[in-house]
């Protein structure tokens, strides 16, 4: 193939005849020539260099105006060079673009016929070169997509972040629980001498010691003195004696066998004991405390054969046995269920139960109106779960440590504190209840809410105003029974 220099010289030596002269380009062809030349020159900003074997001086890429005056080789080849040693990963090099001769050395010729215009083969070559360059640009692989660029990767990343956040929250809660436990143990040891000094008083005078008792009960009760404190607070109005307890144990087989309509109490006790605090090993099959629990429950059924056994009472007797011997547990158990609220639900007096349902429904509507409307919409009435909370003293809904602290304060505050505890416990599980349907809400309300702590419960208790005994009795008397507040059933 002839070099650009020799081809340019041959063009100048040929006579310029009418047949050999190229036809002038149309305006459309000229615009196409101009756009292609601009495109190619944009790839070669000052990159044209002289060929190693040619001493002829080189020029940069000709502009559209000078394209006809300076010769251009159709064999120019543009390509990308991947040079890892250079700062740029992609570079454009071209074959040498040479001029035919210097203007001063070329013979004089008429201005209109000095050099030929660009021929269509040259335009085609330039278009091919530009297309090749553009194809290399489009096919050049870019950097890999960053992680998480696709939808699935983003979802995976979001789930990982959520797990990490939940793990951090769980660790933080565990750390706070450990600190609270350590603080509670320190507080137990601080108040223990005060409890021992108070227990040495033979006769507690409620008016004289009430403020001290309330302060200590709200602070903490050491496990070593909790049983004695409970006995002093509950008292023994029924005058339960050891002789009475032994008689019930001796005659329990005969009494249980002769009970009319209550023969199922013994089987019901055996079934209920199996589900009493299953997370503990104290009452598993074959343990001594299990036998003591059965004895206390059967002794109470013999003591009150007119009503027999009611599901949920095993949790109360079991918690008493954790801090008291069987005789003292039986005494506290019997006197507790002799109090008005527990006696009402134990005996199943529907009119009185309806009054307590109405008090609870009124407080729920006052403090948790959204939850009250949601439960009513689902058809979940208080008789489904509230009676079980009363009979088990919240042991079927609160964790055992939290329930123990509730008992500490309840034995001096009374039933008005019990209703505040119920609302505070519902505040703790409110988000889950609002998102649940009928089955989910019933499951939450009839199972132990594992995550509730005494510290959290006290935080929610501060949101519920306290009532004096006088205000509480006035409020309870002003609330109508639940059956009077419920709308009448629809006729089918």
């Amino acid at each position: 193939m002839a070099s650009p220099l020799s081809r340019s010289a041959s063009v100048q030596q040929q006579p310029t005849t009418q047949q050999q002269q190229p036809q002038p380009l149309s305006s459309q062809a000229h615009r196409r020539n101009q756009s292609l030349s601009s495109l190619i020159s944009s790839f070669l900003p000052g990159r044209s260099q002289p060929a190693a074997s040619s001493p002829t001086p080189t020029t940069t890429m000709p502009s559209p105006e000078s394209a006809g005056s300076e010769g251009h080789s159709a064999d120019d080849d543009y390509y990308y060079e991947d040079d890892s040693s250079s700062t740029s990963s992609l570079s454009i090099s071209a074959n040498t673009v040479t001029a035919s001769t210097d203007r001063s050395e070329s013979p004089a010729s008429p201005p209109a016929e000095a050099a030929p215009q660009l021929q269509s083969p040259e335009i085609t070559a330039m278009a091919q070169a530009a297309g090749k360059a553009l194809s290399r640009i489009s096919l050049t692989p870019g950097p890999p997509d960053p992680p998480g660029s696709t939808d699935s990767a983003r979802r995976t990343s979001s789930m990982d972040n959520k797990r990490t956040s939940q793990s951090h929250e769980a660790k933080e809660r565990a750390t706070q629980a450990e600190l609270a436990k350590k603080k509670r143990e320190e507080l137990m040891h601080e108040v223990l001498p005060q409890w021992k000094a108070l227990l040495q008083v033979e006769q507690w005078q409620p008016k004289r010691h009430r403020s001290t008792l309330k302060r200590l009960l709200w602070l903490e009760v050491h496990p070593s003195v909790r049983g004695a404190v409970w006995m002093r607070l509950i008292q023994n109005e029924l005058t339960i004696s050891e002789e009475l307890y032994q008689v019930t144990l001796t005659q329990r087989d005969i009494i249980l066998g002769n009970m009319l309509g209550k023969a199922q109490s013994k089987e019901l006790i055996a079934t209920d004991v199996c589900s009493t605090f299953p997370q503990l090993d104290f009452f598993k099959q074959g343990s001594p405390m299990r036998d003591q629990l059965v004895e206390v429950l059967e002794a109470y059924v013999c003591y009150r054969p007119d009503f027999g056994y009611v599901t949920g009472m095993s949790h109360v007797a079991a918690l008493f046995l954790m801090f008291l011997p069987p005789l003292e547990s039986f005494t506290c158990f019997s006197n507790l269920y002799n109090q008005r609220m527990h006696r009402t639900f134990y005996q199943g007096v529907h009119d009185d139960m309806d009054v307590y349902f109405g008090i609870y429904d009124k407080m729920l509507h006052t403090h948790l109106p959204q939850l009250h409307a949601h439960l009513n919409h689902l058809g979940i009435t208080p008789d489904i779960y509230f009676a079980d909370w009363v009979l088990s003293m919240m042991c079927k809904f609160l964790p055992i440590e939290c329930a123990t602290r509730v008992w500490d304060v309840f034995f001096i505050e009374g039933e008005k504190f019990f209703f505040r505890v119920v609302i505070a416990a519902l505040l703790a599980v409110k988000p889950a209840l609002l998102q649940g349907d009928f089955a989910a809400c019933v499951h939450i309300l009839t199972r132990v809410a594992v995550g509730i702590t005494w510290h959290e419960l006290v935080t929610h208790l501060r949101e519920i105003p306290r009532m004096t005994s006088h205000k509480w009795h006035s409020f309870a008397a002003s609330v109508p029974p639940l059956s009077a507040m419920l709308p009448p059933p629809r006729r089918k």
Side-chain angles (χ1 to χ4, degrees):
M1 182 179 294
S3 65
L5 184 60
S6 62
R7 188 174 62 184
S8 177
S10 64
V11 171
Q12 293 179 1
Q13 291 174 4
Q14 292 178 0
T16 58
T17 61
Q18 182 70 21
Q19 292 78 11
Q20 294 176 350
Q21 290 180 357
Q23 297 296 328
L25 297 175
S26 62
S27 59
Q28 183 177 2
H30 181 71
R31 286 195 300 270
R32 184 170 65 250
N33 182 16
Q34 183 177 2
S35 61
L36 289 172
S37 300
S38 301
L39 177 63
I40 295 174
S41 60
S42 65
F43 289 110
L44 299 171
R47 300 281 300 213
S48 300
Q49 297 179 0
S53 59
S54 176
T56 309
T58 61
T59 62
T60 60
M61 190 67 191
S63 62
E65 290 77 5
S66 61
S69 61
E70 297 186 21
H72 176 71
S73 173
D75 300 327
D76 293 346
D77 186 19
Y78 302 95
Y79 62 96
Y80 281 98
E81 182 180 16
D82 187 7
D83 186 6
S84 58
S85 62
S86 62
T87 56
S88 176
S89 61
L90 296 176
S91 61
I92 302 176
S93 64
N95 293 337
T96 306
V97 181
T98 60
S100 57
T101 55
D102 191 80
R103 291 181 182 271
S104 61
E105 297 177 358
S106 61
S109 59
E113 302 177 357
Q117 296 289 335
L118 290 176
Q119 303 294 331
S120 59
E122 297 181 359
I123 296 176
T124 304
M126 293 171 62
Q128 291 176 353
K132 188 176 181 180
L134 291 175
S135 65
R136 287 181 178 273
I137 292 176
S138 61
L139 295 177
T140 302
D145 293 337
S149 59
T150 62
D151 293 340
S152 60
R154 282 195 296 268
R155 287 194 297 268
T156 304
S157 177
S158 176
M159 292 176 63
D160 292 341
N161 293 337
K162 186 176 180 180
R163 293 193 196 98
T164 304
S165 176
Q166 291 177 349
S167 177
H168 289 324
E169 292 177 358
K171 291 181 180 178
E172 185 177 356
R173 286 196 300 268
T175 303
Q176 292 178 356
E178 189 66 25
L179 293 175
K181 182 179 179 180
K182 185 181 295 186
K183 184 178 180 180
R184 181 183 177 187
E185 292 176 353
E186 294 176 355
L187 189 59
M188 284 181 183
H189 292 289
E190 289 179 5
V191 300
L192 181 59
Q194 302 180 50
W195 278 117
K196 289 183 176 180
L198 193 59
L199 290 173
Q200 291 178 358
V201 180
E202 294 184 0
Q203 295 294 331
W204 281 7
Q205 299 179 7
K207 293 182 179 180
R208 181 179 179 183
H209 299 98
R210 184 175 179 83
S211 60
T212 303
L213 286 171
K214 290 180 65 174
R215 179 180 62 83
L216 291 177
L217 288 169
W218 276 100
L219 283 175
E220 192 56 71
V221 181
H222 198 277
S224 62
V225 298
R226 175 170 278 125
V229 172
W230 285 357
M231 285 190 64
R232 293 285 187 96
L233 293 173
I234 297 174
Q235 300 180 356
N236 187 9
E237 294 181 357
L238 297 176
T239 62
I240 302 293
S241 62
E242 183 178 1
E243 182 180 0
L244 175 63
Y245 179 64
Q246 294 298 330
V247 168
T248 56
L249 290 180
T250 313
Q251 304 294 326
R252 58 179 173 170
D253 293 333
I254 302 175
I255 298 175
L256 290 174
N258 294 332
M259 287 175 60
L260 298 177
K262 303 296 180 180
Q264 72 276 13
S265 293
K266 190 170 185 178
E267 289 76 13
L268 189 57
I269 290 173
T271 303
D272 211 13
V273 166
C274 297
S275 61
T276 303
F277 298 129
Q279 69 274 20
L280 302 177
D281 295 334
F282 296 152
F283 307 103
K284 65 181 182 180
Q285 188 69 32
S287 63
M289 291 191 67
R290 178 188 178 91
D291 298 336
Q292 293 177 1
L293 177 59
V294 173
E295 289 180 359
V296 170
L297 294 175
E298 291 182 353
Y300 185 75
V301 172
C302 295
Y303 176 68
R304 294 301 306 264
D306 49 341
F307 298 109
Y309 179 80
V310 179
T311 302
M313 299 169 65
S314 62
H315 288 74
V316 178
L319 194 54
F320 276 127
L321 283 170
M322 292 183 189
F323 301 98
L324 290 169
L327 173 61
E328 287 75 8
S329 297
F330 175 77
T331 303
C332 292
F333 184 85
S334 301
N335 283 277
L336 174 64
Y337 278 94
N338 192 49
Q339 296 180 6
R340 186 179 62 175
M341 184 175 67
H342 292 84
R343 184 176 65 249
T344 297
F345 285 91
Y346 172 61
Q347 295 178 357
V349 183
H350 294 287
D351 293 340
D352 295 341
M353 291 172 59
D354 204 23
V355 172
Y356 281 105
F357 287 150
I359 295 173
Y360 164 71
D361 188 78
K362 180 66 175 179
M363 292 190 67
L364 181 63
H365 179 268
T366 302
H367 300 287
L368 294 171
Q370 186 180 5
L371 181 59
H372 178 268
H374 180 67
L375 294 178
N376 284 346
H377 175 72
L378 296 177
I380 301 177
T381 54
D383 58 292
I384 297 178
Y385 57 93
F386 185 75
D388 214 14
W389 290 358
V390 176
L391 290 172
S392 66
M393 280 285 290
M394 296 299 291
C395 289
K396 281 193 171 183
F397 187 68
L398 295 177
I400 186 170
E401 292 185 359
C402 185
T404 303
R405 292 293 291 125
V406 169
W407 285 26
D408 292 340
V409 184
F410 169 79
F411 290 143
I412 194 170
E413 294 282 359
E415 61 184 38
K416 65 179 186 294
F417 174 74
F418 182 85
F419 282 90
R420 290 183 64 216
V421 167
V422 168
I423 301 300
L426 290 175
L427 279 169
V429 296
K430 175 185 174 182
L433 288 173
L434 290 177
Q435 296 177 1
D437 54 4
F438 180 87
C441 290
V442 171
H443 180 80
I444 294 172
L445 294 172
T446 55
R447 299 293 187 276
V448 176
V450 180
I452 302 180
T453 62
W454 171 246
H455 177 74
E456 181 182 4
L457 198 66
V458 171
T459 303
H460 292 306
L461 280 171
R462 295 192 181 101
E463 304 177 23
I464 307 168
R466 300 180 62 180
M467 290 187 184
T468 61
S469 298
H470 177 71
K471 289 184 178 180
W472 168 253
H473 291 304
S474 300
F475 168 77
S478 63
V479 176
L482 180 63
S483 58
M485 295 187 291
L486 293 178
R490 296 180 180 180
R491 294 182 178 180
K492 296 184 180 180

